[in-house]
Amino acid sequence: MKKVKIDDVEFGGARRVLVAGPCAIESEDMAMKTAQTLAEITDKLNIPFVFKASYDKANRLSIESGRGLGFPKGLLVLRSVREKVGVPVLTDVHETYQVEAAASVADILQIPAFLCRQTDLVVSAASTGKAINIKKGQFLAPQDMQYIAQKALSTGNDKIILTERGSSFGYHDIVFDPRSIVIMKDSGYPVLVDATHLCQQPGAGGGKTSGNRRFSLPFAKVAFALDADGIYMEVHPDPQNAISDKDVQIPLNSVEDFLKTLDFSR
Amino acid sequence: MKILVRIIIAILLAIFLVLLCARSVHTEERKGYSELEHFCNGVVDWYLLFDPRAALMEFILAETYDPMDAQLKKSIAEVYLDMGNYSQSLLKAQEAMTYIDDDGELYRIAALAAAGMKNCKLSRKYAQRAYFPTQDEYLQIVWCFVDNEQYSTAISMCRNALKEHPHSSTLWAALGKIYISIGEVERALEPTKKALELNPQDDQAYIQLANIYIKIGKFRDAMKVLDRYVHLFPDDRSVFEQYMERALMFDSLRDARSVVSRFIARFPDGEIEALEGYASAAYVQGNYGEALNTFQHLVEITDTSEPNYLYFIGKCYDELWCPESAAVMYKIAIEKNPSPDLWTDLALVWARMDEPESLLITLKDASSQFPDSAVLWYWGGVALRGVGMWNLATHWFSEALKFNPDDVQTLFSLADTRERAGYRSESIALFEKINQLNPDDPTIQNYLGYILVDDSVRIEYGKQLIQKALTAEPDNPAYIDSYGWAFYREGKIKKALSYLKKAEELFGDDSEILFHLAKVYAALGDIENARKYAIKSIQINPQYVKARYFLQMIAGDSDEKSENR
C-alpha cells in the first residue's frame, strides 16, 4: 500500500485521516472559523486533519447557484487558513489555467468527480508535484479508477489518493456501493470515503441538490469497517444558510460528537 | 552569472518597490494599494525568492483589481513562460496585446510561448516584432522549425539573423548544428569554424567541429581540434576521455600513447581505464608486442591476475606464435574464471601445436564444465578437425547442431569434415541441405558443385551450381577452377585447360588449381608441364597428398618413356 505524506498527516498510515471543511468558501471569516474549530477538535481527538474548501464551485446545476469567492480570491483565503491555522489544505481545480495558482497555496489538489476523466486536468494537476485526490465519478466503475490514477502517475507523481463519493442511481439519487472501497484499495493507493456527498440527491431540490445527512455517520462506519484510509466530509457553521449542499453538510457544532463515534486508529 | 545578475536586479527592484509601496500606502486608495501590494509580493516572490508559482498567484490576484492592466498580464505571461506552461503564457500575452501592441518584450514572450507549443508559424510571426536580449532566446524559435523538420526556414532565419549580428558565435554555431541535423555535414564545417573563431572559448563548438571532421573522414583535423580543446579545458574529463578514445581509434599507436600519457598525468585515477583502452587498441591494430607489454604492465600495477588481462596476454602470445605461453595464460585464466571462449582458445592452441592428447584432455574438461555451450562444441570440432580427428570432430559438430540444427556455419564445417574423412555421399547430402537453407550463397554453390563434378556422378547439375556461383562472382578463381575441373571430368580437356589457366592467372599460388593444371597437362600428354605444375603445387602445400601421389605416378611414367627412348 502506498502512503501519501503531507506534513504530519499520512494517508494510508497508522491513523486514518479526516479531510473536512465547508463545501465552498463563502467568506474569509467563515472559512477561518470552521478551520480553527476543526483543528481544535481533531487535535483533541488525535485525528490527522486536512482542511478542505472550494474556492470556486464551478459545477453547479443552476446558473443561479452561488459559487463562493471564486478564482483567485478564494485561494487567498485558503492561504490564510494554511498560514494562520497551520493545517494542510485541499482544494479542487476545474480549469487547467488555475492549476498552478491553486498549487501555490494548496497541499492537495483535488480532481472533481465530474471531471475525473478529463486527461488534461488530471495531468496538469499531477504535473505540479502536489498530492492529487481524485474523486471517483458518479458514473464510473470503481475498477476504472486505476486508469485515472495512471494518468496522474504518467507525470511521475505518485502522490495519489482516491475518493469514493457514490454512484448515480436513476434520476436525482446517489447510492453508496461499499464494494467500491475494496476494489479501489486494490489499486494500492489510499482510499477516502466522502461521507457527506454519498448522501446527496442531485437535482432533487428543484434546480439544486438536496440529500439527507442522517446517513453520513453509518456510511462513515461502513467505510472504516472496510478499511478506508480516511473520511472526507463537508462541514458548515450554519448548513441551512450554506450556498451549496445545505442538506448534507454536517453542522460544525455536531462534528465532535460525530467524530467521537468513529475509531480513527487501525 | 545569469543568476547573479538576476539577484542584483531583484535586490534593486525590491528596494524600489518597497519605497513605492510605502509611498502608495499613504497616497493610494485601498483598492489601488491592494493591487500594488500583490504586484510587489509577486515581484519579490519571483525575483528574490525564485518562487514563480507564488508570484503567479500574486499577479493573478493583482489582476482582479484591474483586469485591463496589460503590464500585469505580461507579467503573468512571463511567469507562465518561466514555468513552462506555454499555452497559458501565450493566452495571457495575447490578452495583453489587445491593450498594447508595440511592446517588443511582450512579443518576445508570445514568440517563445508559441515556440514552446511547437506552433512555429505563430512563433515566427511574433518574433518579427519581438525584442530578444540574447540570441539564445531567438534560437529557441529557430529550433522550433528544426524540430518540425522545416529546415530551410530554420536556415533562412539563422542567416537573416546573421545579417544583423554577423559576430554572433551562437548563431554561427546554431547554423552549423542545423546543417548537421539534416546530414549536410560538410556545409556545417564553415559556420562551426566561424563560431569558434569568434568565440575561442565555446567548448561546444570544439566538440561540434571535431564531430564534423570525424564524419567527413578528416580524423587528423578532428584530433587537432580535440587537442586544442583539452589544452583549453584540461579539467573536462569527459571530453578528454572522448579525445583519448578517438586517438586510440584513429591515430598511430605512438600518437595515441602520447594522448594516453597526458590523460594519465592529468587524471591519475583514470590510469587503469586508459591503459586498458591503449592495450586493446594495440591488440586491434595488430601490434601484439605492445599489447602484450601493456597488459603485463596492467597485471603489475593492479597487483591482480585479472582473468581478462590474462586472456589477452594469452591471445597476444598466440598471435606472436608463442603457443606454449598462450596455453599457460589461458590455463591460468580458466582457473580464475572459466568460460567457453577461454576453453575454445586453449583448444585451438593445442590444435595449432598439433598436440592431440592435450587437446582431448582440454575438450573433455571443457565439455563437462559447459555442456550447454554450442560455441564450445563448434570450436571444439574445428580444433579436432585441425588435428585430423575426423570422427571426433563429426561428433562435436553434431552436438553443436543439437542447439541449432540449421546453423549454416556448423553444417558447412561438418560437411567439410565428412568430405575430408572420405564420406562423400554424406558430405553431398549435407551440402545439399546447406544449399537449400542458403540458396543464394555462391560459396556453397561452388563447394557442392565441385564435389558433384569431382564425383563424376551428377556433373551436369554440379556445373549448373558452379555457373550460378560464377554469375555472382565471375572473377573468383576458385569458381573458375571448379568450372574448368567440370570440363576435365567431362573429358573436354582443352576447354578445361583454358579455364584453369585463367584461374592460375588470377590466383597462381593455389595448390589445388596448380594440381588440376598438372592433371590436365598429363591428360594432354604434356608430362613436362604436368610435372612442373605438380611440383609447384607441392611446394605451396607440402601436405597435399593427392599431388604427391600424382607426381610419383608421372615421374615413373616420364622415366619409363626416357628409358624407352
Side-chain angles (χ1 to χ4, degrees), chain B residues 464-477:
Chain B
Q464 281 173 16
L465 287 169
I466 298 165
Q467 274 174 328
K468 269 192 192 175
L470 273 170
T471 310
E473 292 174 36
D475 292 327
N476 188 312

Side-chain angles (χ1 to χ4, degrees), chain B residues 399-446:
Chain B
E399 286 296 318
L401 283 170
K402 283 181 186 168
F403 297 94
N404 185 1
D406 291 336
D407 182 62
V408 171
Q409 190 187 23
T410 313
L411 282 168
F412 196 99
S413 298
L414 179 60
D416 177 58
T417 306
R418 298 314 285 158
E419 167 71 12
R420 291 180 198 216
Y423 296 95
R424 176 153 282 185
S425 56
E426 276 183 39
S427 176
I428 289 173
L430 284 163
F431 274 118
E432 282 184 327
K433 182 179 177 184
I434 298 166
N435 192 40
Q436 277 173 1
L437 289 168
N438 260 15
D440 297 323
D441 186 335
T443 311
I444 294 162
Q445 288 161 352
N446 174 61

Side-chain angles (χ1 to χ4, degrees), chain A residues 78-97:
Chain A
L78 280 174
R79 186 167 73 182
S80 296
V81 168
R82 192 175 188 282
E83 285 170 1
K84 290 176 185 163
V85 184
V87 291
V89 164
L90 173 150
T91 193
D92 50 344
V93 285
H94 296 250
E95 301 280 353
T96 53
Y97 78 88

Side-chain angles (χ1 to χ4, degrees), chain B residues 62-74:
Chain B
E63 193 195 19
T64 58
Y65 293 95
D66 187 357
M68 287 188 290
D69 186 334
Q71 290 303 326
L72 266 176
K73 290 181 193 300
K74 194 173 101 180

Side-chain angles (χ1 to χ4, degrees), chain B residues 334 343 346-347 350 357-367:
Chain B
I334 285 167
W343 281 116
L346 182 59
W350 295 132
E357 281 178 22
S358 301
L359 173 61
L360 289 174
I361 293 166
T362 295
L363 290 180
K364 191 180 164 200
D365 291 345
S367 59

